Amino acid sequence: MASVRARLLISSAFPCCILPFFHPPRSLFVNSPIRSSRILARITVRMASPDSRGASPPTHPAAHTVTLPGGEPVEIVAGPGLSDSDFRRAIDSSLFKQWLKNMQSERGILAYEKMCLRQIEVQSVDMFGRRVGFLKFKADVLEKETGAKIPGIVFARGPAVAILILLESGGETYVVLTEQVRVPVGKFILELPAGMLDDEKGDLVGTAVREVEEETGICLKMEDMVNLTGFLDPTTGCKVFPSPGGCDEEISLFLYKGHVDKETINALQGKETGLRDHGELIKVHLVPYNNLWRVTADAKALCAIALYEMAKKDGLLPHGVSR
């Protein structure tokens, strides 16, 4: 049973003795790190430079020309007001490289040779310390046969994780939610503990465990996490895309199920957490699992419910989780 300390340690629902009898696909627990894309076959850089008299010429936006493996040149330009340094950070970022890689992947937009990418305008960059956190750009994608332009405004923020935590206590199953200020929607939202990947290593499970501890104070073990999105068909990329019409965000959803005593439930309810120096003002809420689908508008939570219930129905969950 769990005990309450400075950190809350929750007993695992997965005894070691059951592990030899369950051999899930590797994708359920371990995700390969994102590899850098080998895309930039040839790059031409155009920057403003002084003329022969030493005077500066009219200012032109910074630009790169990228030649894709198929041989088609794509011009990447800086939008109005974007500095040269931010432009370089943008095109060197893992967010931008991963987007280009996705475009050319086996199921990417450019893979079937029905679409072409003509130009990319980088419009804004938001830095999270030394790394690019958010990136906004516009891509001119055309249908080759008709010349019709496809809507291509992209808000890039990259991969993220979310965790469905089920705690059984006194015959009831509770879900751990966080209440946070969400300025983009102008509301307080009840949602699953979640977070963005902070680096290019692609450590999804480690990020999930760390986010749970930061947002709730609960310490989980990596080996006790089940990747719910790992049950999806490989053609999906084993991720969910909450808003693919405008954002590249791809989310891996994880499950943890454990047993705790009533004192742990009471200690978690209403607990205030979060990294205050990062602007995180979080309050923990526990709600009965049977009520979850009605009390939250969080797409991550609703997707997690669907994946959990279907995986349980099809007998895909490890022993001790499906009960």
Side-chain angles (χ1 to χ4, degrees), residues 4-221:
V4 181
R5 298 197 295 272
R7 294 177 177 176
L8 294 170
L9 299 175
I10 297 181
S11 61
S12 169
F14 314 136
C16 294
C17 61
I18 66 169
L19 295 180
F21 302 100
F22 175 68
H23 301 283
R26 182 174 175 81
S27 62
L28 302 189
F29 298 98
V30 181
N31 291 74
S32 299
I34 296 173
R35 293 185 173 89
S36 298
S37 176
R38 295 180 294 175
I39 294 171
L40 308 184
R42 186 175 75 247
I43 299 177
T44 303
V45 183
R46 171 167 59 81
M47 303 290 289
S49 59
D51 61 19
S52 59
R53 296 169 297 176
S56 296
T59 302
H60 297 288
H64 280 188
T65 299
V66 177
T67 302
L68 301 179
E72 294 189 34
V74 178
E75 187 179 37
I76 309 171
V77 300
L82 189 73
S83 69
D84 289 347
S85 58
D86 277 349
F87 178 68
R88 291 182 179 279
R89 291 188 186 102
I91 62 177
D92 288 338
S93 68
S94 60
L95 291 177
F96 188 72
K97 291 177 180 179
Q98 184 62 49
W99 178 81
L100 275 177
K101 184 177 180 181
N102 291 345
M103 291 284 287
Q104 301 170 83
S105 65
E106 184 178 351
R107 299 181 64 86
I109 289 175
L110 303 180
Y112 303 101
E113 299 185 355
K114 295 182 178 180
M115 306 285 178
C116 61
L117 175 63
R118 290 295 184 224
Q119 187 185 72
I120 303 168
E121 180 185 80
V122 180
Q123 298 174 325
S124 67
V125 178
D126 288 292
M127 301 298 296
F128 290 5
R130 295 185 176 182
R131 71 181 181 91
V132 175
F134 295 150
L135 178 62
K136 183 174 180 288
F137 56 91
K138 181 173 66 174
D140 289 340
V141 177
L142 305 178
E143 185 182 35
K144 289 183 177 180
E145 183 176 350
T146 64
K149 182 179 288 189
I150 310 300
I153 295 177
V154 180
F155 172 55
R157 55 173 293 160
V161 297
I163 309 91
L164 176 65
I165 303 175
L166 303 181
L167 303 181
E168 295 183 351
S169 181
E172 182 75 78
T173 299
Y174 297 91
V175 181
V176 179
L177 299 176
T178 62
E179 181 184 35
Q180 300 193 54
V181 179
R182 293 307 193 188
V183 175
V185 295
K187 297 179 180 180
F188 288 88
I189 299 292
L190 276 177
E191 56 188 284
L192 296 183
M196 300 168 58
L197 266 66
D198 293 332
D199 53 42
E200 300 180 29
K201 297 179 181 179
D203 183 10
L204 297 174
V205 182
T207 299
V209 170
R210 183 174 65 254
E211 289 295 334
V212 169
E213 184 174 359
E214 290 177 358
E215 295 192 359
T216 69
I218 299 171
C219 298
L220 303 180
K221 295 180 180 179

